[in-house]
Amino acid sequence: MTGQSDDAIIKRKLLIEGESGIDDKRFALLLKDYLHWAVSEDAADGSDNAYQSMLEKIFQCENAMEQAYLIQVMNLEQANRYTDLLEEIDKSIKTAQVDIMKERERLKEARVIRKNRQEYHNLAKVVKEYPERQETLKKLQKMKVELSNLQNIDKMYDERINLRKKQFHLFLVALRDLQKIIEQDAPIPIESVEQKSTNAESLMDTS
């Protein structure tokens, strides 16, 4: 109990004293005047003046206490406002952190979308370099026709080559047969050839 009473006295003293210590001096002066007034044997007029002076000083002390109390209340209200402000700031920070996380996710999505767009653009650019499907089908059909024609021409040349091979084979066979016939013929005597040549010259001279 004594400790609590001392604490209460110290709090009241600090509340009354203020920052400059003027209130403490005012209390000391009031106590001094009170003791002087209590033991004084002055006349009634002097006693009344001292009494009025003490009342004024008491009023000043009460006024100082009221001001100190109001300042304390204002400080408490200000502290409460600061507490509320800190809570709002804390909420704002948490909200900002959540927003930052969301923006990071959006940024990742935007990067993926941008990458996909770039890949699509590159792919579209490559596709544009190639002809359209209808045109490609026409070219393919034309190439098929040309290939078929080339195959027919190749077939015709194969048939012609085979025919020439057969004809050449027959020619070789005929040539061999002719060679055999020539080899089988009897040789003609030289005298008969000379006689025929002489007869021919005689006929020419006669004519």
Side-chain angles (χ1 to χ4, degrees):
M1 294 295 293
T2 305
Q4 293 180 355
S5 299
D6 293 340
D7 291 340
I9 293 171
I10 292 172
K11 288 180 180 179
R12 284 197 299 271
K13 183 177 179 181
L14 292 174
L15 183 62
I16 296 171
E17 182 177 355
E19 295 181 356
S20 61
I22 296 175
D23 295 334
D24 192 16
K25 293 179 181 179
R26 187 181 291 116
F27 263 106
L29 184 60
L30 177 61
L31 180 60
K32 182 179 178 181
D33 291 342
Y34 172 75
L35 293 175
H36 179 72
W37 176 76
V39 298
S40 177
E41 296 180 355
D42 294 338
D45 293 337
S47 178
D48 290 338
N49 291 332
Y51 179 74
Q52 291 296 328
S53 177
M54 285 189 295
L55 288 178
E56 291 178 359
K57 291 177 181 178
I58 290 171
F59 176 76
Q60 291 176 357
C61 291
E62 289 178 348
N63 189 23
M65 289 179 64
E66 185 177 359
Q67 290 180 356
Y69 175 75
L70 292 175
I71 292 172
Q72 184 183 18
V73 171
M74 290 175 61
N75 289 335
L76 290 174
E77 292 178 354
Q78 190 71 21
N80 292 330
R81 283 197 293 269
Y82 285 150
T83 302
D84 295 337
L85 182 60
L86 288 175
E87 290 179 356
E88 291 180 0
I89 292 173
D90 186 54
K91 290 180 181 179
S92 299
I93 291 173
K94 291 180 180 179
T95 303
Q97 289 176 347
V98 173
D99 293 338
I100 289 172
M101 294 298 296
K102 290 181 180 179
E103 292 300 325
R104 285 180 179 176
E105 293 297 327
R106 290 179 181 176
L107 181 60
K108 290 180 181 179
E109 293 178 359
R111 287 178 178 174
V112 173
I113 293 172
R114 182 178 180 183
K115 182 180 179 182
N116 292 337
R117 286 180 179 175
Q118 186 65 32
E119 291 178 355
Y120 173 79
H121 177 71
N122 294 334
L123 183 61
K125 187 177 180 180
V126 172
V127 170
K128 286 182 179 179
E129 294 178 357
Y130 292 92
E132 296 182 357
R133 185 174 181 273
Q134 192 68 25
E135 184 179 355
T136 303
L137 291 175
K138 289 181 180 180
K139 290 183 178 180
L140 181 61
Q141 187 65 29
K142 184 178 179 180
M143 291 177 66
K144 286 182 178 179
V145 173
E146 292 178 356
L147 179 61
S148 178
N149 293 333
L150 290 174
Q151 289 176 347
N152 292 331
I153 293 172
D154 185 65
K155 184 177 180 181
M156 291 174 61
Y157 275 109
D158 287 339
E159 292 176 354
R160 184 174 296 180
I161 290 172
N162 290 329
L163 178 61
R164 294 292 183 267
K165 285 181 179 180
K166 291 178 181 180
Q167 291 175 348
F168 185 70
H169 178 70
L170 292 175
F171 174 74
L172 290 177
V173 171
L175 184 61
R176 290 193 189 98
D177 292 341
L178 180 60
Q179 185 178 3
K180 289 180 181 180
I181 292 172
I182 293 172
E183 290 176 353
Q184 290 176 358
D185 287 344
I188 300 174
I190 297 175
E191 293 81 2
S192 298
V193 174
E194 290 178 352
Q195 184 63 36
K196 288 181 179 180
S197 177
T198 303
N199 293 333
E201 290 177 357
S202 298
L203 290 173
M204 290 177 65
D205 292 337
T206 304
S207 60

